[in-house]
Amino acid sequence: MTHHVVPPDEGASPEVLALAKVVARLRSEIADLEGIAAATAVLERAKGVLMAQTGISADAAYEKLLERATRRDRTLMEECWLALGQIRSERPPAPLTDPSPSSAPAQDRARQQPDVGSAGPCDGPPDDDGLRPLLARIAECLAEAGDEGDVAELLRAVLAEAVGVDAVMIYTVTAAGSLELTGHAGIDEELADQWSHVPPLSGVAALEAIAARHAVWLEDPVADARRYLLIGNPPERWPSRAWIPVPSDGLARAAVGFLRTRPGAFDPATRTLLRQAVRLCGVLLRAFGKAADAEDGAATAPDTVEQAQRILDVMSGPAVLLTPLRSTAGEIEDYRIDAAAPDSVDVAGRRGKELIGRKVLETYPTVAGTALWEGYRDTLATGALYEGEPFRYQEVGAGFPQESVYSVRAARLGGRLVVSWIRHDTSERELRRLADMQRLGNLGWAGWQLTTDRVAWSDQVYAIFDREAALGPIGLEELPRHVLPEDQARLAAAVRRLLRLGTAVDQPFRITTADGVRHLRIVVEAQTDANGTPVEVHGFFQDVTALRDAELALRESERAVLLQRGMLQAERALAARLQATLLPIPEQSLDLAGLCVGVACIPADSGVNVGGDWYSAIELPDRSALFVVGDVAGHGLAAVGTMAQLRFTAKGMTITGSALIDVLRRLNNLLLHTDAEPSATATMFIGRYQPEERRLTWARAGHLPPLLIRDGRGRFLPQPDGCLLGAARDSVYGQAVIDLLPGDRLLLYTDGLVEEPGEDIDLGLDRLAQDAVRLLRDGLDEDLARTLAGRRLANRDDICVLDIHVPDEA
């Protein structure tokens, strides 16, 4: 029966969805019951085997199986499967004596058990009555499995028609961490050979399932191909796969892969069925793995391999641990690398542990049949140390053959070989590397034999001089005649000192080529005889034209920078004088309208430009006090000029009786109608204090909020509306009123006091409030403004602070 569950996006009602969930839960319970039924079938069949072999009752057979499992430290199911496995051999002959009456009923019952060794449920396809009997059929047929290949064939035969399993692959982890294909069904031999050995790489689903000890379901070929190495040629042959680890009390060492040509996901019942099937086969697969390890003792000593790897990890130089791989006749066919030192490398560039699990004929394919190969075999047979003569080995890399010379040493370690070697590169390779170095460094070597007049140049020197090789090299004494006239005298003098005194030469000079003037450098030294007379000169020429051009460009840039720096410094000096002329004293204390006002203005520590921070603190004709703090965006003369405009205009308008919000509105229009493009912008606080009521009326244009400190606690005043000056036409500004109390302190400041690059402004404001309260608590009330400004080390912007203090009443 096929069940269809309507997905939510197809308009299913809540009742249908609830029913679908119930159906899914029941399917899961049925799958679990099938597993229990399969286990029960295995138990009953094992009991029948014991009853037939020993003539005991069913209860006695169960107790015997349970006792064996406890004594051998196995589960009851594992003991049942082992009991079933014993019936593959011939049945023991019947006893010669007549059975006793007491045993007759047991024998009668034994004769009623089915003959599991005869043709039966394992010979044909599974029944067509659903998934329920499949696990029982697998359990019954396991007794006939002789190796992993039989298990794979059994799983494929039973599960093919029911759940669409077309191929089965069984992988086992080796001591080196790689995967070996130990059983398969449904795939051709060519593919099996191609994937018979999988190194311990990332992106191998079987290895991930074993390591994580949970099933890996591959149901989307496109997405799976981006994450995993998919088996197959082409991989799309099996659009859905499952890799399930074989359960084990310790580390999992095997996984079973189920491959389907049917696309789509595995439904919950199929997933449960595949897990139960692998669990049923687990005891036999673990037993086969132990038997295979026993036959190849060298491959089953992970402790030895791990110890060898730990030793090789701290060794310098290349070394590997080799395990011989023998044919059925016992002949050595190849060697497997089970451990490798970090400096070990093969012709493909694989290094260190990347070699583990690979075979020698994969890494160095042409050593078979050589003296080295025979030396390995003799060392394994006799235990004698092998130290071969240096031999040449030709490898192919980067598309061309490379020949190297090796000295190899091999020693026997148990049934393995520890092999180390030294690689002697040939002169051909060294010359190739030297040529690459000369080309990349745009230099070439040269040598002059003074006694024989022989001269040798490398190919790169001809390229540097733009000289045909057919013309031959230039003699050392002739060299000055080939340079520019301006450089001939200096180069000739250097050559004479070299030839007479043996003094080394490092001399720049210029030559003319078809591409123009080239700047060259010669660096040479002399070798002398016993009398100190130079007999040979060798060294190199280098084309430094690009370097010389870069030096000239750097000098021009340096001159331009110095000129620009001088102009900026002059502008800074002018702006600083203008700022000093326009602003009041940078640090002072004032008494205005019954208030004590502390002032501190500190310029920025870095940069060559002066900022546009300013303040005003004056007494108006009606005995009230005006307080203004502003900050013009930018630096330099332009910022100082804008600051002067705003400062004097604000003072003039306030003195003549303009309201605070009207002052801000007109200053905003003033900046918008200046000739500068784009117009300047600025923030500003303006406040008017009436001493009779101790009332402060204030407005702001994008400026930071004032800090009020009252009764030992600091808080920022709520801000009235008002965007910064010069930002938008027809801006509307609001104002606020606060009545100050005796002992209150009000801090007005510019952003240089609180801002840090990359920091949220709220953190700076919180820090200011905490510092101000702490300083007042410590008794630094008279110098609060100067102290706060001075604590800003390495300030990157101008700082302006006003500390307005309402004295305590007498």
Side-chain angles (χ1 to χ4, degrees), residues 412-563:
R412 190 173 70 180
L413 177 64
R416 299 181 176 87
L417 290 176
V418 177
V419 178
S420 59
W421 64 92
I422 299 175
R423 179 173 180 172
H424 315 282
D425 281 340
T426 63
S427 59
E428 179 183 352
R429 177 174 295 181
E430 291 298 330
L431 289 175
R432 186 180 301 111
R433 291 178 177 175
L434 179 60
D436 291 341
M437 180 185 67
Q438 293 180 86
R439 176 178 51 82
L440 296 173
N442 205 8
L443 56 84
W445 61 267
W448 293 268
Q449 291 285 346
L450 304 182
T451 57
T452 61
D453 292 333
R454 293 183 58 186
V455 184
W457 275 8
S458 68
D459 294 340
Q460 191 65 25
V461 177
Y462 288 101
I464 290 173
F465 276 83
D466 194 18
R467 182 180 176 87
E468 294 290 338
L471 299 176
I474 300 173
L476 196 58
E477 294 179 341
E478 301 174 4
L479 184 61
R481 295 198 294 268
H482 293 267
V483 305
L484 292 183
E486 296 87 346
D487 299 336
Q488 287 181 356
R490 289 192 298 271
L491 183 59
V495 171
R496 285 195 297 270
R497 290 194 301 270
L498 173 70
L499 297 180
R500 294 177 183 176
L501 305 176
T503 305
V505 172
D506 186 346
Q507 181 70 39
F509 62 94
R510 292 168 294 173
I511 63 173
T512 302
T513 67
D515 297 329
V517 175
R518 289 186 182 178
H519 295 262
L520 306 185
R521 174 192 180 199
I522 179 174
V523 180
V524 290
E525 63 180 4
Q527 290 183 350
T528 60
D529 58 14
N531 298 322
T533 303
V535 294
E536 181 181 350
V537 174
H538 59 267
F540 65 86
F541 292 99
Q542 185 177 19
D543 186 350
V544 294
T545 304
L547 179 61
R548 181 63 175 169
D549 292 343
E551 290 178 354
L552 294 176
L554 183 60
R555 289 181 182 177
E556 291 295 329
S557 176
E558 185 178 4
R559 281 195 291 268
V561 168
L562 291 175
L563 178 61

Side-chain angles (χ1 to χ4, degrees), residues 7-29:
D9 57 358
E10 292 186 7
S13 65
E15 293 79 5
V16 174
L17 295 177
L19 181 59
K21 293 180 180 178
V22 173
V23 171
R25 178 174 56 80
L26 292 177
R27 285 183 185 173
S28 178
E29 293 177 357

